Amino acid sequence: MSEKKKEKKKRLSKASLKQATRIFKYVKPYRWQFAFGIVLISLSGVFTLLVTRLWGQLGGVGVQQPEQDDIRSYFDFEFNFSDLGSLAVIIFAVLVIQAIMSFTRVILFARITENMMLALRKDTYQKIIRMPMQYFNEQRVGDLNSRISADITSIQDVFTTTLAELLRQLIVIVGGIAALLFFSPTLTFIMLSTLPVVIIIAVIFGRFIRKLSKKTQDQVAESNVVVQETLTGIVNVKSFANELLEVTRYMGNITEIKKFALKGAWWRASFSSFIILFIFGAISLVIFKGADLMAAGELDSEYFFSFLLMTGLVAGSIGGIAAQFAQLQRGIGAIENVMDILELDPEPVVIESPSFKQRALKGEIEFQRLQFHYDSRKEIQVINDLSFRASAGDHVAIVGPSGAGKSTIASLILQFYVPQAGKVQFDGVDASEYDLTELRSQMAFVPQEVILFGGSIKENIAYGNPEASDEEIHQAAAQANALQFIDQFPDGLDTIVGERGIQLSGGQRQRIAIARAVLKNPTILILDEATSSLDSESERLVQDALDKLMKGRTSVVIAHRLSTIRSADKIIVLDGGIKVEEGKHEELITIENGVYRGLVELQSQLVS
Ligand code: ATP
């Protein structure tokens, strides 16, 4: 998908502009403030022209004898436009007004934008976090991260500065040219005859530069993904001694960055040289011609000065507008990316009002002729015509060789995926009839590989119930046999676990995950037993904690150590997504050449 998307990002078409208008939903609440800001910025453009004109007047008065009759009155005040003192007062007044307007405008736009960004960041994150599991199978974390950070920052730039600057510069250009025509049509034509050439070439240049800077950006994003993936899987890198491989991979990326960046710099340098040559060339020509006209008495000195200053202003704005335009284009690309996310269909989890009415589950689970394959790998039928039932309070174990589909069953109970055929029912009601939050809030999942959040042990346990009191957290830790090791830490429950919990052992992490589940007090418990074996003492503690946790709840245990499931009410033996056997341990063990019996024999051989 990303290739297609990248293609789309590069072009600024009518369609993409239309797409970008979707952002107006976020501007709407502030439309009047925004309109006022636009008025201020327009006035600021007009005042810039006015000041330039007044400076020209100053220059003109400086070289000419004062003419006493050039007196104009404004609001009962009389100003002598040929008197340096009067001009200074007017210029000062205009500057003060402009300073106040500028201050107000910056604050106003910042407030509008920050409010918009708050809503946009919240909505984007909220949307991403509510996406179904399949979405996360297809996306890279680094990409999603840059949606929330880089793209939203680009959008912010557009609304804080780019739009305002574009408008101001347009006013300066249009108003400036009108004034120039008034001062001297001949000079204006000379200047204008060079400008279109500059503009056409600037557009062509600009397009090149944008393309290159986009490529650099993509390359930077890609190198970030490499860093992120490598650091996330640092254990892999080290254990396979693949440091060199990773550095080489990274080198490949960063060398490309350098290549593109230097190419970009070359074009940017050419671009600025070109602008300098043409703009300054045109100005030189204008000064020359202006001096000529003034010497011939065809141009007043005050107009000449105003003309020069205003030409500089207009030329500066024309030069600057290209950069603003590039920024706008980046912003529009970013808006498209973010809006695409906002238009995705999330899973129906309740996020706004946690106090929705919830039906209490009894805990019966039933799979009816369920068929499932992952969307990202359609050719593999992971679950094939699977039916089984767990009555409320039952302990069901799922066993089978690796890749049989055991973890997938856990995901299907948790409603991470929707099966292609068949049903999952809870208390005899189809899963789709429930709200996802309603179901999941009554289930707890202890995964194979426990990943903790970076905070303290206490915060990690409280994840099971954020409203739990310290006393409840303590009790949960005790029930999960976690206090033994927590109490040994000087900071106890406040011990920081390190990023993803790497400062704790596997068994310790598991017991924290169990404490979390205890605190959640679920009706249905799903355990994906850890494959990595713990030492026998930790294993006993973990198993004991799990036994206590399972008491009185429906539990589905994905078992790797068959010794732990002898007392299960039901064992489901899975092979290649098909249920091959079902029954209690005592029944299954008697089946000649049975899969379960084979697995048990294999494990006991391994143990003995
Ligand atoms: P193990 O005992 O090794 O954990 P398992 O029995 O739990 O294995 P599953 O993890 O359910 O097996 O995987 C069943 C099949 O589905 C495998 O072929 C696996 O490659 C595939 N699979 C698992 N997760 C995904 C996914 N997110 N996307 C695509 N295919 C997947």
Coordinates of all heavy atoms in Angstrom, one line a residue, residues 370-408:
L370 N -16.1 -22.9 13.1 CA -15.4 -21.6 12.8 C -14.3 -21.8 11.8 O -13.5 -22.8 11.9 CB -14.8 -21.1 14.1 CG -14.4 -19.6 14.1 CD1 -15.1 -18.8 15.1 CD2 -12.9 -19.5 14.3
Q371 N -14.2 -20.9 10.9 CA -13.2 -20.9 9.8 C -12.5 -19.6 9.9 O -13.1 -18.5 10.0 CB -13.8 -20.9 8.4 CG -14.7 -22.1 8.1 CD -13.9 -23.3 7.6 OE1 -12.7 -23.2 7.6 NE2 -14.6 -24.3 7.2
F372 N -11.1 -19.7 9.9 CA -10.4 -18.4 10.0 C -9.1 -18.4 9.3 O -8.3 -19.4 9.4 CB -10.2 -18.0 11.4 CG -9.4 -16.7 11.6 CD1 -10.0 -15.5 11.3 CD2 -8.0 -16.7 11.9 CE1 -9.3 -14.3 11.4 CE2 -7.3 -15.6 12.0 CZ -7.9 -14.3 11.8
H373 N -8.8 -17.3 8.5 CA -7.5 -17.1 8.0 C -7.1 -15.7 8.2 O -8.0 -14.8 8.3 CB -7.3 -17.5 6.5 CG -8.2 -16.8 5.6 ND1 -8.0 -15.4 5.3 CD2 -9.4 -17.1 5.0 CE1 -9.0 -15.0 4.5 NE2 -9.8 -16.0 4.3
Y374 N -5.8 -15.4 8.4 CA -5.4 -14.0 8.5 C -5.5 -13.3 7.2 O -5.1 -13.9 6.2 CB -4.0 -13.9 9.0 CG -3.9 -14.3 10.5 CD1 -3.5 -15.6 10.9 CD2 -4.1 -13.3 11.5 CE1 -3.4 -15.9 12.2 CE2 -4.0 -13.7 12.8 CZ -3.7 -15.0 13.2 OH -3.6 -15.3 14.5
D375 N -6.0 -12.0 7.1 CA -6.1 -11.3 5.9 C -4.8 -11.2 5.2 O -4.8 -11.1 3.9 CB -6.8 -10.0 6.1 CG -8.3 -10.1 6.2 OD1 -8.8 -11.2 5.9 OD2 -8.9 -9.1 6.7
S376 N -3.8 -11.1 6.0 CA -2.5 -10.9 5.4 C -1.9 -12.1 4.8 O -0.9 -12.1 4.1 CB -1.5 -10.3 6.4 OG -1.6 -11.0 7.6
R377 N -2.5 -13.3 5.1 CA -2.0 -14.6 4.5 C -3.2 -15.4 4.2 O -3.5 -16.4 5.0 CB -1.0 -15.2 5.5 CG 0.2 -15.8 4.8 CD 1.1 -16.4 5.8 NE 1.9 -15.4 6.6 CZ 2.4 -15.7 7.8 NH1 2.3 -16.9 8.3 NH2 3.1 -14.8 8.4
K378 N -3.9 -15.1 3.2 CA -5.2 -15.7 2.9 C -5.0 -17.2 2.5 O -6.0 -18.0 2.7 CB -5.8 -15.0 1.7 CG -6.3 -13.6 2.1 CD -7.3 -13.1 1.1 CE -8.1 -11.8 1.5 NZ -7.3 -10.7 1.8
E379 N -3.9 -17.6 2.0 CA -3.8 -19.0 1.6 C -3.7 -20.0 2.7 O -3.9 -21.2 2.5 CB -2.6 -19.1 0.6 CG -1.2 -18.9 1.2 CD -0.8 -17.4 1.5 OE1 -1.7 -16.5 1.2 OE2 0.3 -17.2 2.0
I380 N -3.4 -19.5 3.9 CA -3.3 -20.5 5.0 C -4.5 -20.5 5.9 O -4.9 -19.4 6.5 CB -2.1 -20.1 5.9 CG1 -0.8 -20.2 5.1 CG2 -2.0 -21.1 7.1 CD1 0.5 -19.8 5.9
Q381 N -5.2 -21.6 5.8 CA -6.4 -21.7 6.7 C -6.0 -22.0 8.1 O -5.6 -23.2 8.4 CB -7.3 -22.8 6.1 CG -8.7 -22.9 6.6 CD -9.5 -21.7 6.3 OE1 -9.4 -21.1 5.2 NE2 -10.4 -21.2 7.2
V382 N -6.0 -21.0 8.9 CA -5.4 -21.2 10.3 C -6.3 -22.0 11.2 O -5.9 -22.9 11.9 CB -5.0 -19.9 10.9 CG1 -4.4 -20.1 12.3 CG2 -4.0 -19.1 10.0
I383 N -7.6 -21.8 11.1 CA -8.6 -22.5 11.9 C -9.6 -23.1 10.9 O -10.2 -22.4 10.1 CB -9.3 -21.6 12.9 CG1 -8.3 -21.0 13.9 CG2 -10.4 -22.4 13.7 CD1 -7.7 -21.9 14.8
N384 N -9.8 -24.4 11.1 CA -10.6 -25.1 10.1 C -11.8 -25.8 10.7 O -11.6 -26.8 11.4 CB -9.7 -26.1 9.3 CG -10.3 -26.3 7.9 OD1 -11.4 -26.0 7.6 ND2 -9.4 -26.9 7.1
D385 N -13.0 -25.3 10.6 CA -14.2 -26.0 11.0 C -14.1 -26.4 12.5 O -14.4 -27.5 12.9 CB -14.5 -27.2 10.1 CG -15.9 -27.6 10.2 OD1 -16.7 -26.8 10.6 OD2 -16.2 -28.8 9.9
L386 N -13.7 -25.4 13.3 CA -13.5 -25.7 14.7 C -14.8 -25.4 15.6 O -15.4 -24.4 15.5 CB -12.4 -24.9 15.3 CG -12.1 -25.0 16.8 CD1 -11.5 -26.4 17.1 CD2 -11.1 -24.0 17.3
S387 N -15.2 -26.5 16.3 CA -16.3 -26.3 17.3 C -15.9 -26.8 18.6 O -15.2 -27.8 18.7 CB -17.5 -27.1 16.8 OG -18.0 -26.7 15.5
F388 N -16.1 -26.0 19.6 CA -16.0 -26.6 21.0 C -16.7 -25.6 22.0 O -17.2 -24.6 21.6 CB -14.5 -26.7 21.4 CG -13.8 -25.3 21.7 CD1 -13.9 -24.8 23.0 CD2 -13.1 -24.7 20.7 CE1 -13.3 -23.6 23.2 CE2 -12.5 -23.5 21.0 CZ -12.6 -22.9 22.2
R389 N -16.9 -26.2 23.1 CA -17.7 -25.4 24.1 C -17.1 -25.4 25.5 O -16.6 -26.5 25.9 CB -19.1 -26.0 24.2 CG -20.1 -25.3 25.0 CD -21.5 -25.8 24.8 NE -22.4 -25.1 25.7 CZ -22.6 -25.5 26.9 NH1 -22.0 -26.6 27.4 NH2 -23.5 -24.9 27.7
A390 N -17.0 -24.3 26.1 CA -16.5 -24.2 27.5 C -17.7 -23.7 28.3 O -18.1 -22.6 28.1 CB -15.3 -23.3 27.6
S391 N -18.2 -24.5 29.2 CA -19.3 -24.1 30.1 C -18.7 -23.0 31.1 O -17.5 -23.0 31.3 CB -19.9 -25.2 30.9 OG -20.3 -26.2 30.0
A392 N -19.6 -22.3 31.7 CA -19.2 -21.3 32.7 C -18.4 -21.9 33.8 O -18.8 -23.0 34.3 CB -20.4 -20.5 33.2
G393 N -17.2 -21.5 34.1 CA -16.4 -22.0 35.1 C -15.5 -23.1 34.7 O -14.6 -23.6 35.5
D394 N -15.6 -23.6 33.4 CA -14.8 -24.7 32.9 C -13.3 -24.3 32.7 O -13.0 -23.1 32.4 CB -15.3 -25.2 31.6 CG -16.2 -26.4 31.7 OD1 -16.5 -26.8 32.8 OD2 -16.7 -26.8 30.6
H395 N -12.4 -25.3 32.9 CA -11.1 -25.0 32.5 C -10.8 -25.8 31.3 O -10.8 -27.1 31.3 CB -10.1 -25.5 33.6 CG -10.3 -24.7 34.9 ND1 -9.7 -25.0 36.1 CD2 -11.1 -23.7 35.2 CE1 -10.1 -24.1 37.0 NE2 -11.0 -23.3 36.5
V396 N -10.5 -25.1 30.2 CA -10.3 -25.8 28.9 C -8.9 -25.6 28.5 O -8.3 -24.5 28.6 CB -11.2 -25.2 27.8 CG1 -10.9 -25.8 26.5 CG2 -12.7 -25.5 28.2
A397 N -8.2 -26.7 28.1 CA -6.8 -26.6 27.7 C -6.8 -26.8 26.2 O -7.5 -27.6 25.6 CB -6.0 -27.6 28.4
I398 N -5.9 -26.0 25.5 CA -5.7 -26.3 24.1 C -4.3 -26.7 23.9 O -3.4 -26.0 24.3 CB -6.1 -25.0 23.3 CG1 -7.6 -24.7 23.6 CG2 -5.8 -25.2 21.8 CD1 -8.0 -23.4 23.0
V399 N -4.1 -27.8 23.2 CA -2.8 -28.3 23.0 C -2.6 -28.6 21.5 O -3.6 -28.7 20.8 CB -2.4 -29.5 23.9 CG1 -2.5 -29.2 25.3 CG2 -3.3 -30.7 23.5
G400 N -1.4 -28.7 21.1 CA -1.1 -29.1 19.7 C 0.3 -28.6 19.3 O 0.9 -27.8 20.1
P401 N 0.8 -29.1 18.2 CA 2.1 -28.7 17.8 C 2.2 -27.2 17.5 O 1.2 -26.5 17.3 CB 2.4 -29.5 16.6 CG 1.1 -30.1 16.2 CD 0.1 -30.0 17.3
S402 N 3.4 -26.7 17.4 CA 3.6 -25.3 17.1 C 3.0 -25.0 15.7 O 3.1 -25.8 14.8 CB 5.1 -25.1 17.0 OG 5.4 -23.7 16.7
G403 N 2.3 -23.8 15.7 CA 1.7 -23.4 14.5 C 0.3 -24.0 14.2 O -0.3 -23.8 13.2
A404 N -0.2 -24.8 15.2 CA -1.5 -25.4 15.1 C -2.6 -24.5 15.1 O -3.7 -24.8 14.6 CB -1.6 -26.5 16.2
G405 N -2.4 -23.3 15.6 CA -3.4 -22.3 15.7 C -3.9 -22.0 17.1 O -5.0 -21.3 17.3
K406 N -3.1 -22.3 18.1 CA -3.6 -22.2 19.5 C -3.7 -20.7 19.9 O -4.7 -20.2 20.4 CB -2.6 -22.9 20.4 CG -2.4 -24.3 20.1 CD -1.4 -25.0 21.1 CE 0.0 -24.5 21.0 NZ 0.7 -24.9 19.8
S407 N -2.6 -19.9 19.6 CA -2.7 -18.5 19.9 C -3.8 -17.8 19.1 O -4.4 -16.8 19.6 CB -1.4 -17.8 19.6 OG -0.3 -18.5 20.3
T408 N -4.0 -18.3 17.9 CA -5.1 -17.7 17.1 C -6.4 -17.8 17.8 O -7.3 -16.9 17.8 CB -5.1 -18.3 15.7 OG1 -3.8 -18.2 15.2 CG2 -6.1 -17.6 14.8

